[in-house]
Amino acid sequence: MGRLTTHVLDTATGRPAHGLAVALFALDGGSGRRLLKQVLTNADGRIDGPLLEGAAFAAGTYELEFAVGDYFRAIGVTLAEPAFLDVVPLRFGVADPAAHYHVPLLVSPYSYSTYRGS
């Protein structure tokens, strides 16, 4: 059964990013974005369960938005205004909805990276 998961690691502190807001959107060709889910990361920097799975997880283009500016402010990091990174969008395609797509984010106040994990 296919599923979509994510987690966030704070590379500035070397810890999971706890309490970071994540929004998942489906991109519908020319008609825009459709919000599918809004969640917060847990103490492990993960979401409690898949973002999408089974029949709800279809082939297509998706976007995850990570509210990293709010997260860093909440843990006491002083950011410039506007912050260099505030909301990090990750747009990705799902070709095989029967597979596991894991989309992690490694983030600091001034950089981020991602990859397709397992």
Side-chain angles (χ1 to χ4, degrees):
M1 175 169 64
R3 66 189 188 280
L4 172 63
T5 58
T6 190
H7 77 275
V8 184
L9 299 175
D10 177 343
T11 58
T13 64
R15 296 187 308 239
H18 176 248
L20 192 143
V22 179
L24 173 65
F25 297 87
L27 302 180
D28 301 322
S31 63
R33 301 184 323 160
R34 184 170 36 96
L35 178 65
L36 300 177
K37 189 174 267 191
Q38 290 179 301
V39 294
L40 292 175
T41 57
N42 62 24
D44 246 356
R46 297 178 182 276
I47 305 304
D48 294 327
L51 289 162
L52 289 176
E53 65 183 327
F57 189 42
T61 304
Y62 294 88
E63 189 168 89
L64 285 167
E65 283 188 350
F66 298 88
V68 300
D70 290 344
Y71 161 77
F72 284 115
R73 287 180 197 96
I75 65 167
V77 175
T78 302
L79 301 176
E81 291 300 334
F84 181 71
L85 295 176
D86 191 24
V87 175
V88 172
L90 296 180
R91 187 172 289 184
F92 59 95
V94 170
D96 180 7
H100 178 197
Y101 283 74
H102 183 66
V103 183
L105 180 72
L106 289 74
V107 68
S108 79
Y110 297 98
S111 69
Y112 69 91
S113 65
T114 191
Y115 55 94
R116 182 174 173 192
S118 57

